[in-house]
Amino acid sequence: MTTVIGLIPGMSPGDVLASLESTTLKIKHKTPYRPELLVLENIAPVCADDDWVKSRGSSLRRVFASDGAIASALNGAMLVPGVHPIYLRTLADEVEILDWEMLYDEDGGLFLSLNNTWPIGRLTSPQNAGRPPQPFPASLRFMAVLSAAGQDGILDWKHLEAEVQRARAANLPVEFLVFTGQSEIEEAVTAAGGELRALPEKPDELVRAIRDFNPHVLHFFCHGSPNLGAPFLEIATSNDFLEGSSHGSLILPVEYLRDALTSSAIWLLVLNSCSGAEGGGAPAEADSRSLARKLAEEAGVPAAIGMAAPISPALAAEFTRSFYPAFFECARKILCEEGFNPIDWATLLVPARKALSLGLDPADQREWSLPVVYALAPSFSPAFVQQPHVMVPLPVPPMPGATPDDVDAGTAPEPLPVPVEPAFELRPAHLVVLQFAAHAMRTLTLPPAVKRQALEEMLAEIPPSFWPDINGDFAVGGGS
C-alpha cells in the first residue's frame, strides 16, 4: 500500500504545487488529484531550538492543506493497519533541499521515517520507467570502493565483509570485489581471502573497472561534494594516504559515473559518503540535483542512496552495518527463491534509521534522517532471461528390425545431440539499443502506428518480448 506525492514548480517563481499522484488507500475526497499550493515560508529553520528536528518535521507535515487530498491520504495511512510507504517526487528545486525524511506526525507523536509502517523515500522523474531484462546471474556482484582521504574505512570494510559472509552462509552466492588506497584495508582484505584490486589513479580507469565487473551493488566510502550543481566523488589513492593528504586526488564526476552505470546490471548505488544526497546550491542554480538523484535519473539506476549532509566515519560504518542485512535477505529471495516480493526501498532504510538514532533524541539530532533514497519506482523487481541451451539430447527412433534385446545389449543407436533453436541471449549492446528506443518512445510525439513502426525498425534484431511499449515502459524491469 503506497502513497506518491508529487512536488512540482508552480506558475510563479518560488511557488511549489503538491498533488496526490497515487495512493492505494481509499480516501474520501472529491478532487484527490487537484494541486495544492504549498506555503514554505513557515518551515522551521535548521537548529532553531533544542527540538528543531521535531519542529521542522511538524512544519513540513503542515505545508499540506489540512482539508486537501494529500492530508487525507497521510491521515488514512496513519489509521489503516499494514505497511504504507510514502514517496515524494521532489521535482521542484525549492523542495528538493528540504528534509522530508523528518516528517513528524504530532497526533501520533512519531517520526514517520523511524517507523516500519510509514517509511519515506523519494522518486525521480516519472520518465524513468523500468529497465530491460538482464541475463540471470550466477551470483550477486558487489563492488566496494573504500577510500576516504584522512579517514579510516576499516570499520566499513569489516561490516561489509561480515554481511557478505552471512549472506554466503545463507546460500546467497556473492562475488565481492574491493578497491582501496588504504593499506590497512588492503591487508584486511588479503587476510580474509577477499578479492582486492589496486585503486586506479584516473577516473576513466575506474569507470572501465566498474563496467568490466558490472556490479549489482556499487558501494562507495569516500568524500563527496555537491559542488554547485556539478557533484562529484573524491577518492583517495594510495599516494594520497602515504602523503597524509586530507583530499583525494581521484575525482569522479557525475558524468563519469553515469556513463559507467547506464545500461548496466546495477540494482543499487550506495554513496556512503559526505553529501551524496545534498543538493548543489540554492534553487537559483541551473541544476541543484544531488549526485544520488542525478545518477538515478540520468543513468536509470533503480535506487541510489546518499547522505544529505557530511557524516563521520563512525556513522557511515553504522549505516553499512545496519542497512545491508535486510538488503542481502531481499537479494537472496530474488536469486534463490521463487515467488519473492519486490524490494521496497523506503522500507529497506528503516533499520538503518533506527540504528542511527539509537541512544540519541531524534527530536534534535538529524543523523538518522541523513540517508536519502532516490528510486525510479517505489518497488523493484529485477527481470531476468535464462541463459540459452544450444544442444539438447533427444532420443533417436529405433531402426527397422531392432528388438528390445538390441537395446539391452547396447547395439541400438545412441541418442544424439540434436541442435535446436537457441534462446535469445541478451547482450550489453542490446541493452543500449533498448534504452535508446524507450527514451525515444517517451520523448517523441508521434501517432501510435508510427511509434510501432519505429520500434520494429530500431529493434529488428531483438525479440518483441523484450521491447518497451509505445510509451517507453518495459513490461518487466525496473519494477513498480
Side-chain angles (χ1 to χ4, degrees):
M1 305 180 79
T2 303
T3 296
V4 178
I5 301 169
L7 304 172
I8 62 174
M11 297 296 293
S12 302
D15 286 348
V16 175
L17 295 177
S19 63
L20 183 63
E21 288 189 12
S22 63
T23 182
T24 50
L25 296 167
K26 293 182 179 179
I27 62 171
K28 296 180 180 180
H29 206 274
K30 295 180 180 178
T31 55
Y33 303 106
R34 175 177 293 175
E36 304 172 9
L37 180 63
L38 299 189
V39 180
L40 303 178
E41 288 81 2
N42 296 327
I43 295 177
V46 174
C47 296
D49 52 43
D50 291 341
D51 292 334
W52 73 270
V53 176
K54 183 168 70 174
S55 300
R56 193 166 175 82
S58 298
S59 58
L60 285 166
R61 175 73 171 82
R62 288 194 296 268
V63 299
F64 303 117
S66 59
D67 59 346
I70 296 174
S72 298
L74 294 178
N75 292 335
M78 302 296 290
L79 296 175
V80 180
V83 179
H84 306 287
I86 297 167
Y87 283 87
L88 298 106
R89 202 185 302 276
T90 53
L91 303 185
D93 290 336
E94 290 82 358
V95 296
E96 168 71 7
I97 59 177
L98 295 178
D99 315 275
W100 297 102
E101 290 69 27
M102 294 181 182
L103 273 173
Y104 183 81
D105 185 80
E106 292 179 320
D107 293 335
L110 51 82
F111 290 96
L112 275 62
S113 287
L114 285 175
N115 196 290
N116 289 318
T117 308
W118 310 283
I120 294 176
R122 304 195 190 196
L123 297 181
T124 61
S125 167
Q127 293 184 355
N128 294 288
R131 292 169 69 85
Q134 294 279 340
F136 197 98
S139 58
L140 181 78
R141 297 187 297 274
F142 193 112
M143 177 175 172
V145 180
L146 310 176
S147 219
Q151 295 185 354
D152 187 359
I154 193 69
L155 195 55
D156 204 57
W157 146 255
K158 287 182 177 179
H159 290 322
L160 280 177
E161 200 270 340
E163 294 309 322
V164 167
Q165 294 304 330
R166 288 191 184 94
R168 288 170 173 168
N171 297 322
L172 171 65
V174 182
E175 295 180 54
F176 187 27
L177 175 62
V178 178
F179 286 81
T180 186
Q182 184 180 345
S183 59
E184 292 86 354
I185 296 179
E186 291 177 350
E187 295 170 0
V189 175
T190 302
E195 186 175 357
L196 176 70
R197 301 278 178 87
L199 185 68
E201 295 189 356
K202 302 294 183 182
D204 59 327
E205 296 173 346
L206 182 56
V207 165
R208 192 178 306 117
I210 294 172
R211 285 178 178 160
D212 290 344
F213 189 65
N214 197 16
H216 298 107
V217 183
L218 180 56
H219 175 103
F220 285 92
F221 173 82
C222 61
H223 294 296
S225 172
N227 196 39
L228 295 179
F232 59 84
L233 293 177
E234 181 186 300
I235 305 167
T237 65
S238 56
N239 286 334
D240 295 327
F241 279 101
L242 288 173
E243 296 171 0
S245 175
S246 59
H247 295 283
S249 59
L250 176 54
I251 303 300
L252 190 62
V254 63
E255 293 80 9
Y256 280 74
L257 196 49
R258 178 194 62 204
D259 293 344
L261 298 178
T262 299
S263 299
S264 68
I266 190 77
W267 296 6
L268 173 65
L269 171 68
V270 176
L271 304 174
N272 201 16
S273 58
C274 294
S275 307
E278 183 178 355
E285 297 293 337
D287 189 349
S288 65
R289 291 179 299 168
S290 66
L291 178 58
R293 178 182 159 191
K294 285 171 72 72
L295 288 168
E297 289 187 340
E298 296 178 7
V301 176
I305 296 175
M307 301 297 169
I311 58 170
S312 67
L315 283 176
E318 179 60 20
F319 174 83
T320 295
R321 185 199 66 81
S322 55
F323 171 75
Y324 280 109
F327 172 80
F328 278 125
E329 178 59 17
C330 288
R332 186 191 66 79
K333 292 179 179 179
I334 289 173
L335 297 182
C336 305
E337 296 182 3
E338 296 182 359
F340 63 87
N341 293 321
I343 297 175
D344 183 275
W345 299 111
T347 302
L348 210 59
L349 274 176
V350 174
R353 295 195 189 285
K354 289 183 175 181
L356 292 173
S357 67
L358 193 62
L360 303 173
D361 182 358
D364 60 10
Q365 299 288 338
R366 71 177 304 188
E367 284 82 357
W368 59 269
S369 71
L370 293 182
V372 176
V373 60
Y374 286 95
L376 299 187
S379 59
F380 172 67
S381 298
F384 302 119
V385 291
Q386 296 291 346
Q387 295 292 346
H389 299 280
V390 179
M391 304 293 286
V392 177
L394 297 177
V396 177
M399 296 179 61
T403 66
D405 293 336
D406 295 327
V407 176
D408 295 337
T411 57
E414 292 290 334
L416 298 176
V418 178
V420 298
E421 186 69 23
F424 179 75
E425 183 176 0
L426 203 64
R427 300 181 181 276
H430 296 138
L431 300 178
V432 174
V433 177
L434 286 167
Q435 294 278 30
F436 175 80
H439 178 74
M441 292 300 104
R442 290 194 293 267
T443 56
L444 295 178
T445 304
L446 296 170
V450 177
K451 283 191 171 186
R452 293 189 185 95
Q453 183 178 356
L455 284 174
E456 292 175 359
E457 294 176 358
M458 286 189 289
L459 306 176
E461 297 182 357
I462 303 174
S465 58
F466 298 117
W467 294 4
D469 61 23
I470 60 173
N471 297 316
D473 297 335
F474 292 96
V476 290
S480 60

